[in-house]
Structure formats: C-alpha cells, structure tokens
Amino acid sequence: MVDDNLETTRRNLLRGGTALTTGAVSGATAGCLSLLPPVGSEIRYGRVDTPTQVGTDPAYRRWMPADDALSELESMVTVGDMHWVSVTPGTLGMAELDAAFRIGAAVVLSALDYVGYDFEHYDHVHGLGRLGTVAEGDLDTSVLTETLRNSGYNHDGTYYGWELFDRADIPRAVAVSEDAVIQSTGEHRRAFVELLVDAGEGRIDRHHEHDERFAAFSEWVGLYPTLLEGFGGGFSNLEPEDSTLAYTFDEDAAYFIYLQQYPDGETPTRGEIQAELDNSIKRAMQAWAVDIEIDGSYVAVEMRVDKSEFQSDFVADRTPYLTWGVDDGGKAVTVRHEAGESVPLDQVDIEPADALLDRPPEGAVLEPGDELTFTTAEFPEGDEQISLLYNYTGTEHDTAALFHYTPNVFDTDR
C-alpha cells in the first residue's frame, strides 16, 4: 500500500519509473507498452494468431457500480472516466515463458494490502480507480480476519455479511468474504467499499447496465491475463472512445493487443493505422509481427513477441506484496512492515536517505515487524515525502514504487 487511492498510486508508480503511459518507458518494462520497433527497423505486418481470451466473461464489470450510485460522493469522477486494471495473478506467463508482464500486477499490488494469501492465490484482481481494488478467489475468512487484526487494522463492523476493517495511519478500509477482498482508501473509503460490495452482489445497478457503449466494448474485449484500460490508444493522431491494452501468451510467445472502439463513422483505415505505427517507432524495442483487424467500429492491433525476445527484455520478479504501517510523531516518522513478503533492502532506494536513522546493513531484509525511522529535521529543502522504490533484478533502470508517505509536518491538508 503506497498512498490514499489507486489513481494516486498510479502516479506514484510512474514517478518511480515503471511508466504506464503508452509513450516511452525505461529498462525492462520498455517493451511492455512500447510495442513498436526501434529506429531503423521495419515493421513486419502479417498474420498473428493471438491465443483466445482467458474467458469471455468480463469479470471486472461485476464490481463497477453505475454512476448514479456515486452522485452523493464529493469530488468523484464518473466510472466512465475511471482507469481500471484487471489481472489474473496466477497466469502471467512465468511457467510458459520464464518471464512475465508485470506492469498490471505492480499497479494493483501498489493499492492492495497483504491479508494472508499470496498474490498468485487470487483468481482475479481488479484495480478500479479511486473506488478501490477487488481481489477474487477461494478464501478462508478466519485467515483474512486474523491477518488484518495482527497487522494494524481494527474491526469496523459488518456489511451484508462482509467483515469490515479500518485503519487511520494511512486511511484504509477493507471488506472480506469467502470469495473476495475489497480495499479502498482515503476520506470515502467506507462508502467506496460498500459500493463495491453492493455492485458485486447485484444490489445496485452496474456500469455496463447503463452504458451501452461500454457494455458492447467490454463484451468484445472479454478477459485476458492483463488488461490495462486507457492504454490501448497508443497513437497520437487517432482518438478511440474506448481503448485497452491486453496481454496474453502461449508456450512460444507473448502477445500485446491494442483493443479500440471508435465513434460511428470515425474508424481509421488500415492505412491510417499503419501510418501511426510507422511514425511511432521511437516507442518500441524490436520489430515484432504486427496484425491489424478492423470490424466495424472495433480495431485490434495484435503484436507478437517471440519467447527468447520476451525473456531478454522482461523481468522475472515482481514487487513484494505486503502491508505498511506508519507511526508519525512529527519529529520522527516510523515506517513499519506489518505483514506479508520480505523486502530485500539491497533492491530498494530509500529516500530521503540522509533522513533515515540507523540505516540497515548491506544485505538486510525487511521482515514483518521491522521498522525504518526517519527524522523530519534532516529532510532536504523541498523534499517532503518518504519513498521506497523497488529495483527489479537484472535491470538497471526499472523501478516500481513500494511506498510513499508525506509526514504530517509537511502535509498542509491534514
């Protein structure tokens, strides 16, 4: 958990180096979203036989409430404006390709606390913008509740049979049941958790039941190991109404697909799409096979990356999955590992480094119960945030945000 909502954690993740834009990204994730060849290469157009979706049921839609349900919440964007992410944690390609596309997992992990189960245990994890994050799977509520109680959370009642928990250090709320964990953050966290519970159980209307365009688009997209809504546009001169980047794989290759829906009468031609691809070569790492399919207002740009190429440019590890706690005493701020996976500190950049008291020795590992304490008097001028940035193994530049926190003495909004 790194901040007070998924939109904020997305921005923090970008600042950390794992850029989720469809522009340039650095290091090992460069090929993840920069899906075009380098300067001097020729794009190879041809047939790409992309594996079928994980499923035709867009599981993420179950949890998206209709906009009417949000009308009483202040400063809330509409669901239609929300960037969402959907990941199947146990099927990201490691077994088949010895590498995996990690950006979607990094996004949802940044907004999800550890509650007693490995990340790969979940069937689906959906990041739903400011509303929160939903992790689906076969769960034992006694494991969930015990973990939450022992990691700084307080029991906060029940809601239609869901057990609710809350904490105030970095404001978070969690609802748990036998088939899902829901987490939200910030001022409206309890209301958002209850909205997601209500949408998931069908007590209120869902977004796709009110938005015919999204209903049709999501039905066409289906479900993939990773879906990143809003990042399937990819072209500077084309403006789809809806767009998603999908990732999937087989035993021989990884596949990245721009899935787009255009307004009626505005679907680009194959030639216009090829021109955009040809003019966007700065954003890719290899000349991959590219296939363009157009069906009415729908466009799919499918790209294939051979297994060997995928292995050479994608990292094997992922960001650790854990719960952070904070004790903010004004002059000193203690960041605590509450529960979850260990963190090898040799792979973590700690900022501001000069404000850290008793820096751990080389090779140290942060385990549950371990703490890092910062003195606010040693923060450099203009630097008002504690940051822990995780460096993936085998890369020089690829970094994801583990944790961000602004101490109370610097946060004028508190």
Side-chain angles (χ1 to χ4, degrees), residues 14 31 49 51 65 91 111 121 138 145 170 185 253 262 264 267-268 338 355 360 388-389 395 410:
L14 307 192
D49 294 319
T91 54
H121 176 84
D138 183 10
T145 57
I170 303 174
T185 60
Y262 288 86
D264 290 340
T267 305
E338 299 273 27
L388 305 180
L389 306 175
T395 70
F410 303 125

Side-chain angles (χ1 to χ4, degrees), residues 303-324:
M303 306 185 185
R304 184 182 190 275
V305 191
D306 287 342
K307 180 176 182 177
S308 59
E309 195 63 51
F310 186 74
Q311 290 173 335
S312 68
D313 285 278
F314 289 77
V315 295
D317 65 342
R318 60 161 171 77
T319 51
Y321 176 33
L322 68 150
T323 298
W324 296 104

Side-chain angles (χ1 to χ4, degrees), residues 259-403:
L259 298 165
Q260 305 170 336
Q261 182 179 29
Y262 288 86
D264 290 340
E266 298 182 22
T267 305
T269 64
R270 184 178 302 272
E272 290 172 329
I273 296 170
Q274 289 184 358
E276 287 294 314
L277 290 168
D278 293 339
N279 290 331
S280 303
I281 57 177
K282 65 181 181 180
R283 291 178 305 158
M285 61 174 188
Q286 288 295 329
W288 301 339
V290 178
D291 195 0
I292 300 170
E293 295 186 4
I294 301 174
D295 182 8
S297 62
Y298 298 116
V299 171
V301 180
E302 302 167 280
M303 306 185 185
R304 184 182 190 275
V305 191
D306 287 342
K307 180 176 182 177
S308 59
E309 195 63 51
F310 186 74
Q311 290 173 335
S312 68
D313 285 278
F314 289 77
V315 295
D317 65 342
R318 60 161 171 77
T319 51
Y321 176 33
L322 68 150
T323 298
W324 296 104
V326 173
D327 291 326
D328 192 330
K331 294 182 179 180
V333 177
T334 298
V335 177
R336 184 172 49 258
H337 185 317
E338 299 273 27
E341 298 173 348
S342 60
V343 181
L345 289 180
D346 285 352
Q347 288 180 238
V348 177
D349 294 331
I350 301 174
E351 302 174 358
D354 291 342
L356 177 63
L357 300 176
D358 299 324
R359 188 175 183 86
E362 184 176 345
V365 176
L366 203 65
E367 303 279 2
D370 291 343
E371 298 177 341
L372 300 171
T373 300
F374 298 80
T375 173
T376 54
E378 295 298 325
F379 274 55
E381 185 176 353
D383 192 346
E384 300 179 348
Q385 191 174 65
I386 295 170
S387 296
L388 305 180
L389 306 175
Y390 181 77
N391 299 295
Y392 291 101
T393 56
T395 70
E396 295 182 1
H397 307 292
D398 189 29
T399 303
L402 274 180
F403 177 85

Side-chain angles (χ1 to χ4, degrees), residues 149-178:
R149 290 180 188 276
N150 291 334
S151 57
Y153 276 89
N154 298 309
H155 191 252
D156 195 32
T158 61
Y159 185 72
Y160 286 97
W162 292 63
E163 298 293 332
L164 302 180
F165 293 82
D166 191 82
R167 65 187 301 155
D169 53 351
I170 303 174
R172 286 161 280 179
V174 175
V176 301
S177 73
E178 293 181 349

Side-chain angles (χ1 to χ4, degrees), residues 55-137:
T56 56
D57 177 28
Y60 44 87
R61 296 195 313 190
R62 172 188 172 189
W63 305 98
M64 294 182 178
D67 286 336
D68 289 350
L70 306 174
S71 59
E72 297 182 1
L73 296 173
E74 299 176 4
S75 303
M76 182 59 208
V77 297
T78 65
V79 175
D81 292 333
M82 177 181 71
H83 289 297
W84 52 267
V85 180
S86 184
V87 178
T88 57
T91 54
L92 292 177
M94 281 301 301
E96 294 79 4
L97 301 174
D98 295 323
F101 179 64
R102 295 297 195 189
I103 287 184
V107 173
V108 294
L109 274 171
S110 72
L112 188 66
D113 281 354
Y114 176 83
V115 292
Y117 286 93
D118 293 340
F119 181 63
E120 287 76 16
H121 176 84
Y122 298 119
D123 297 327
H124 308 289
V125 180
H126 314 296
L128 302 177
R130 292 183 60 187
L131 291 179
T133 304
V134 180
E136 299 183 77

